[in-house]
Each structure stands twice: as structure tokens, then as C-alpha cells.
Amino acid sequence: MSAFEVIIYEKQDGVAYITLNRPKALNAYSVKMRDELYEVLGAIKDDPGVRVVILKGAGEKAFCAGADLTEFLTAPSPVIARQARFERDIWGRFLSIEQPVIAALHGYVLGSGLEMALCCDIRLASEDARFGLPEPGLGIIPAAGGSQTLPRVIGRAAALEILLSGRWLTAPEALKLKLVNRVVPRAELYPEAEKLAEKIKSHPPAAVRAVKQAVTRGLDLPLAEGLELEERLARRLIAHE
Ligand code: COA
């Protein structure tokens, strides 16, 4: 069981569940949440007992409604509030996890909430999910990776339209743009995530990790280097076996 205050961490049969747990504040991303996520992601990274991770939000209304506006863009200053977030590279930590991470998204998926989802490998959404990056409307830009991850996932024009217009997407629109892999009724969101986790877990863990590395690291490389990476990983896997 969890010893954290604003997240819940559970582990069952090789699946790690991280639940953002501030439902009264729509799971807004606070400094406390940052610290707890940093700790738990570090533990997951080093835990061979974790084969797949599922990230979700508590409560009916939101996965995460973005940065906690009561501590962000307020005292002592926006610059210091932002600096506090840069002190721990939570996004780098998300991206460094070798196990596949599934985001199960419902309700509001805004700002840092969407940026967190973009750091995950597979995104499942329920029909009520709404996606948006309100930062430019607040006079700032996304700084949890969103300006880089969003265009890499949905392409430059679609990302710029969302960022510049501030328009929120419905779940079907998000699906059409390939921002999410699949949209399911709300009641089926977690069973669907678990079914997928079970499927992934049924494969040898070293192969699963190698596939994730080949795709995620390879995407940042020119094709020739990506192919070299694939070959190295394939050889390492054979040696491992
Ligand atoms: N930070 C801190 N608290 C937040 C929050 C956030 N980002 N988003 C919502 N909350 C709190 C509200 O203050 C409210 O608290 P209260 O009950 O103590 O008054 C509670 O969560 C419920 O939110 P509420 O606004 O009443 O729900 P709603 O359904 O009417 O509206 C939103 C939902 C998401 C449209 C609205 O809460 C909102 O615009 N939130 C801010 C989104 C945002 O700009 N995020 C930052 C991006 S950088």
C-alpha cells in the first residue's frame, strides 16, 4: 500500500499502479505531487518486479487539471514557482523508465496532466476525457515537455493549433489526431488498461524493455543510427537468452 499523501502507489502481480490522488482539486499537479512522483518513478525504474505501469487519476472528474494554480503563477513569483518545478526532472524520469507506462485518462486532462500523459507510452481515454494546454492563455508556455512531445505525437500543425488557439479536444478528436490509442466507455477504462497490461506482461520482460527502447530512443535518431540501435538491442537480447 501507499505511504504517500497525494499519490497512491500499489503493486500487484507485476503491475504498478500510480494514482494521482487529489480528487477535490481535480488532481492538480503540486510540488508535493512532483516529489512523490519523482520518488515512486525512481523506485519503479529500479524494480525488476514491475513489468508494466498504469497511471491514472482518482475521482470522477479529472485525470489531472494541470499545475496547481494555488501555488503556481502566484507567490512568491511565477519565475520561482516554475523554478521549483525544474528542480526535479520528473519528465526525464518518466521518459527514462524502461517498463511500458500506460496512461488511463478520464475527465479533464489539462496542462501538466496532458504533458504527463504525453510522457507515457500508450494512452487510453474514456469517452468523457477533455484535453487541453491552457498555458499560452495564462501567458506562459508548457514547460513540462509539452511543446516538444505534443508535436512529436500529433504533428506540427495540429500541435500548433491546439497550443495557439487554446482549444480543448474531445476524446473522439483526440483519437482522430492519434493523441490517444483508444477511446472506451468510462466503466471500461481501467479494465481495458489492465487487459493491455496483462497482455504486455505475458511477454518476456527483456524483450518488452528492448522493444520500448528501440522505439522510444530510435525515434530521436536518424534512420541509420536507429537501425544500428535495433541491431545492438537484438544482439543483446539473444546474448541475454
Ligand atoms: N489547481 C488548483 N486547483 C484546481 C485546479 C488547478 N489547476 N483545477 C481545479 N482546481 C480546484 C478548483 O479550485 C476547485 O476547488 P474548490 O472546490 O476548493 O473551489 C476544484 O478543483 C473543482 O474545480 P471547479 O473549477 O469547481 O470544477 P469545474 O468542473 O467547474 O471546472 C475546470 C473544471 C478544469 C474547467 C476548472 O477547474 C479549471 O479551469 N481549472 C484550471 C485549469 C488550468 O488552467 N490548469 C493549469 C494549466 S497550466
Side-chain angles (χ1 to χ4, degrees), residues 24-26 28 61 65-70 108 110-111 134-135 138 168:
K24 286 189 186 145
L26 306 188
K61 283 179 73 174
D68 187 328
L69 292 173
T70 63
Y108 297 110
L110 304 175
E135 285 88 343
L138 299 167
W168 292 5

Side-chain angles (χ1 to χ4, degrees), residues 35-186:
D35 288 345
E36 293 189 358
L37 280 171
Y38 191 82
E39 192 181 329
V40 87
L41 291 172
I44 286 173
K45 191 167 146 54
D46 296 331
D47 186 346
V50 174
R51 309 267 298 273
V52 191
V53 183
I54 296 178
L55 177 67
K56 58 196 172 98
E60 284 310 305
K61 283 179 73 174
F63 167 73
C64 171
D68 187 328
L69 292 173
T70 63
E71 59 181 41
F72 189 61
L73 296 180
T74 55
S77 81
V79 176
I80 292 173
R82 266 237 140 138
Q83 192 56 40
R85 281 167 166 71
F86 292 143
E87 276 164 17
R88 285 183 191 257
D89 180 15
I90 193 87
W91 319 105
R93 213 160 239 222
F94 259 108
L95 295 170
S96 72
I97 299 238
E98 289 187 7
Q99 302 96 323
V101 184
I102 301 169
L105 307 166
H106 78 285
Y108 297 110
V109 185
L110 304 175
S112 323
L114 177 50
E115 295 180 278
M116 227 183 296
L118 283 162
C119 289
C120 297
D121 302 305
I122 299 171
R123 285 169 288 282
L124 305 181
S126 60
E127 287 162 344
D128 65 334
R130 297 284 176 279
F131 303 85
L133 289 168
E135 285 88 343
L138 299 167
I140 54 177
I141 69 165
S147 70
Q148 303 306 302
T149 49
L150 187 66
R152 280 168 169 77
V153 171
I154 66 172
R156 169 179 162 159
L160 276 171
E161 191 206 331
I162 288 163
L163 279 162
L164 297 175
S165 71
R167 191 169 75 82
W168 292 5
L169 302 177
T170 61
E173 285 175 308
L175 181 64
K176 203 165 157 202
L177 287 173
K178 302 197 169 101
L179 177 58
V180 297
N181 295 63
R182 217 173 311 151
V183 176
V184 297
R186 178 77 179 87

